């Protein structure tokens, strides 16, 4: 039974994970490398709790919840009561491995060692410890307080018991966990998303259409909350470039997008720099204006078919269930429906036909195969 939670790293993700854990009633230890960083994290948590309270979304006082979070600099030797640790330090394998081997020394043998990594294989992080069966991925989405989805990822040695306990823990936070049975690059949600982004990029680089057409189709025909390139701008052109390159390096067969690389080099990083595919005066996000008639210029299947094939590949290879993949895209990407709903609506035959056309355009046979 989980009572005490240790969150390591109090940055963008860590402070949010600590907050949701404290709201759910757990005793939380929040660790980082300096007092200033921790003070800043606690300020953000307080601000967020006050907002929740004002909206009537907090059952107790802000002070009560804050009282359950204890900040710690580094990892002292007093952590014998921890039942689960969630690591949210920078995305560097060596750094995470060093930390995990230290955690193994300091925490009780029964504690679950979770990582919030968004792209590193759980199995490779787990290699830093002896009892690898207790290492697992818990991939929260940003911001953890508002996003309901958490991907729970098995490493090759993760035990069923660890999965079960982690699943119950994530549910107790009021989140919706999905199970990813193998730590494939991108897990479930980023695989689907990157399939869409890299294909969209392939279409513009091969002159099939321009980025505004892709975005109009995504918005008006597929019902995505944002266009594909609008989303890239929003989350960071560089972030998308690095994530897709890292996934391709680790064996994800996808079209390598030169446009993202060039824009990253030029510093056109999207909303945060004021210029990406679209421009953002004062570096603030504004919804690009896209005429609906643009959406008539491209077959929507050119965008969604590769994601449908990816989803089928994941089911066939036991990576995730159909239900979990559908839940993942609805909650993680805010799609109006599941990937398999798109497949049903467009029809399998049309999906396969679009895929054959995409293969011809891209001249990449191995890409987009089930
Ligand atoms: P961040 O850079 O905002 O925060 C990392 C924190 O870790 C910093 O406060 C840093 O001082 C601290 N830190 C570094 N070494 C430490 C150590 N040895 N002990 C304790 N604290 C240490 O990073 P962010 O964005 O929160 O990412 C954390 C992890 O979550 C990464 O693995 C990332 O890939 C993953 N992730 C990030 C998402 C995002 O949208 N930012 C979404 C989902 C996952």
């Amino acid at each position: 039974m989980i009572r005490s939670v240790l969150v390591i790293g109090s940055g963008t993700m860590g402070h949010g994970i600590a907050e949701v854990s404290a709201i759910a009633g757990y005793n939380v230890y929040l660790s980082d490398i300096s007092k200033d960083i921790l003070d800043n994290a606690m300020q953000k948590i307080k601000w967020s709790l006050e907002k929740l309270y004002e909206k009537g979304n907090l059952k107790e006082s802000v002070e009560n919840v804050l009282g359950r979070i204890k900040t710690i600099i580094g990892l002292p030797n007093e952590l014998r009561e921890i039942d689960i640790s969630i690591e949210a330090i920078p995305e560097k394998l060596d750094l995470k491995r060093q930390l995990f081997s230290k955690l193994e020394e300091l925490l009780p043998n029964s504690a679950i060692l979770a990582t919030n990594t968004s792209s590193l294989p759980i199995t490779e992080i787990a290699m830093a410890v002896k009892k690898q069966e207790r290492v697992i991925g818990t991939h929260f989405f940003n911001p953890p307080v508002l996003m309901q989805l958490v991907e729970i990822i098995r490493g090759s040695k993760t035990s069923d018991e660890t999965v079960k306990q982690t699943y119950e823990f994530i549910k107790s936070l009021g989140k919706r966990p999905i199970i990813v049975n193998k730590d494939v690059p991108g897990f479930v949600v980023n695989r689907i998303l990157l399939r869409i982004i890299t294909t969209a990029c392939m279409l513009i680089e091969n002159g099939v259409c321009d980025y505004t057409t892709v975005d109009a189709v995504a918005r008006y025909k597929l019902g995505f909350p944002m266009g594909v390139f609008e989303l890239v701008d929003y989350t960071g052109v560089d972030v998308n470039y690095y994530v897709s390159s890292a996934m391709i390096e680790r064996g994800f067969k996808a079209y390598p997008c030169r446009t993202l690389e060039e824009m990253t080099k030029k510093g056109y990083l999207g909303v945060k720099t004021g210029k990406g595919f679209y421009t953002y005066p004062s570096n603030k996000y504004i919804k690009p204006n896209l005429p609906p008639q643009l959406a008539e210029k491209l077959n929507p299947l050119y965008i969604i078919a590769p994601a449908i094939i990816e989803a089928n590949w994941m089911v066939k290879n036991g990576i995730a269930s159909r239900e979990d993949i559908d839940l993942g895209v609805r909650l993680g990407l805010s799609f109006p429906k599941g990937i398999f709903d798109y497949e049903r609506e467009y029809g399998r035959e049309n999906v396969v036909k679009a895929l054959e056309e995409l293969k011809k355009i891209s001249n990449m046979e191995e890409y987009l195969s089930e």
Side-chain angles (χ1 to χ4, degrees):
M1 170 143 168
I2 292 174
R3 279 187 219 93
S4 293
V5 181
L6 167 65
V7 180
I8 310 124
S10 67
T12 308
M13 298 305 288
H15 86 271
I17 297 170
E19 181 181 344
V20 291
S21 303
I23 292 172
Y26 293 102
N27 292 321
V28 180
Y29 292 83
L30 178 59
S31 162
D32 210 303
I33 51 177
S34 81
K35 182 172 179 306
D36 283 354
I37 298 175
L38 284 165
D39 287 348
N40 185 27
M42 289 303 283
Q43 280 305 319
K44 286 193 190 143
I45 294 175
K46 184 162 177 276
W47 179 87
S48 164
L49 287 171
E50 279 164 359
K51 288 269 158 221
L52 291 174
Y53 188 82
E54 279 164 25
K55 288 186 188 146
N57 291 334
L58 202 61
K59 288 196 202 91
E60 50 184 335
S61 73
V62 170
E63 286 67 33
N64 267 2
V65 179
L66 280 176
R68 283 196 288 272
I69 307 178
K70 188 172 178 230
T71 56
I72 48 176
I73 301 169
L75 292 174
N77 289 331
E78 56 178 68
L79 299 169
R80 302 308 304 172
E81 61 177 272
I82 299 298
D83 303 305
I84 184 167
S85 66
I86 305 173
E87 165 276 307
I89 67 170
E91 191 72 343
K92 298 208 174 92
L93 185 57
D94 285 353
L95 212 60
K96 289 189 193 279
R97 278 187 170 169
Q98 271 170 28
L99 177 69
F100 271 70
S101 94
K102 194 158 175 212
L103 287 171
E104 183 169 50
E105 274 172 34
L106 295 176
L107 302 191
N109 264 337
S110 56
I112 293 171
L113 309 180
T115 168
N116 191 50
T117 181
S118 43
S119 66
L120 299 169
I122 312 307
T123 308
E124 289 184 25
I125 296 173
M127 280 172 185
V129 307
K130 291 182 203 89
K131 268 186 81 186
Q132 295 183 27
E133 60 270 29
R134 60 187 178 135
V135 178
I136 194 161
T138 48
H139 184 217
F140 287 76
F141 286 70
N142 187 14
V145 177
L146 300 180
M147 295 293 283
Q148 272 194 297
L149 185 70
V150 179
E151 290 180 311
I152 294 182
I153 307 117
R154 273 178 181 272
S156 64
K157 301 247 169 80
T158 311
S159 69
D160 290 346
E161 185 55 29
T162 302
V163 175
K164 187 168 158 265
Q165 282 191 37
T166 308
Y167 189 86
E168 292 309 324
F169 168 70
I170 297 293
K171 272 198 3 193
S172 77
L173 301 179
K175 301 291 165 196
R176 305 279 299 272
I178 64 170
I179 303 277
V180 187
N181 288 311
K182 287 185 200 163
D183 50 359
V184 287
F187 311 139
V188 165
V189 173
N190 274 339
R191 271 185 101 81
I192 298 282
L193 178 62
L194 265 299
R195 195 54 86 198
I196 291 171
I197 291 174
T198 54
T199 306
C201 185
M202 185 277 286
L203 291 172
I204 62 169
E205 287 185 5
N206 281 280
V208 174
C209 61
D210 80 350
Y211 64 92
T212 54
T213 302
V214 168
D215 280 9
V217 170
R219 198 191 287 176
Y220 303 118
K221 296 282 179 186
L222 297 168
F224 295 178
M226 282 188 186
V228 179
F229 295 104
E230 178 188 355
L231 179 66
V232 169
D233 273 358
Y234 187 80
T235 49
V237 174
D238 53 337
V239 173
N240 284 279
Y241 167 59
Y242 293 126
V243 172
S244 56
S245 312
M247 282 171 62
I248 290 170
E249 256 172 47
R250 288 192 179 274
F252 181 65
K253 287 180 188 148
Y255 180 84
C257 184
R258 285 189 305 278
T259 308
L260 292 186
E261 183 179 1
E262 281 157 21
M263 287 172 68
T264 299
K265 284 184 183 151
K266 285 184 186 149
Y268 298 153
L269 308 184
V271 176
K272 61 188 168 190
T273 57
K275 181 160 174 44
F277 288 91
Y278 302 91
T279 43
Y280 307 90
S282 322
N283 302 0
K284 289 226 164 63
Y285 170 71
I286 37 165
K287 212 160 185 50
N289 198 2
L290 296 170
Q293 61 272 22
L294 265 186
E296 305 303 326
K297 289 169 59 177
L298 182 75
N299 179 355
L301 275 170
Y302 277 18
I303 296 169
I304 198 74
I308 295 173
I309 297 300
E310 182 65 47
N312 278 291
W313 180 88
M314 286 195 272
V315 172
K316 207 164 97 186
N317 287 279
I319 286 152
S321 69
R322 294 169 80 88
E323 295 71 26
D324 275 2
I325 294 171
D326 274 352
L327 190 65
V329 301
R330 281 196 281 108
L331 297 181
L333 302 174
S334 302
F335 284 3
K337 51 192 143 192
I339 286 290
F340 295 100
D341 296 321
Y342 285 109
E343 179 173 18
R344 260 188 303 279
E345 280 172 26
Y346 283 104
R348 179 75 191 175
E349 254 173 52
N350 292 324
V351 171
V352 173
K353 189 164 165 274
L355 209 72
E356 288 310 315
E357 289 164 15
L358 288 170
K359 278 187 194 170
K360 278 202 193 105
I361 298 166
S362 65
N363 213 3
M364 288 175 81
E365 265 307 309
E366 55 171 17
Y367 147 77
L368 306 168
S369 300
E370 216 176 307

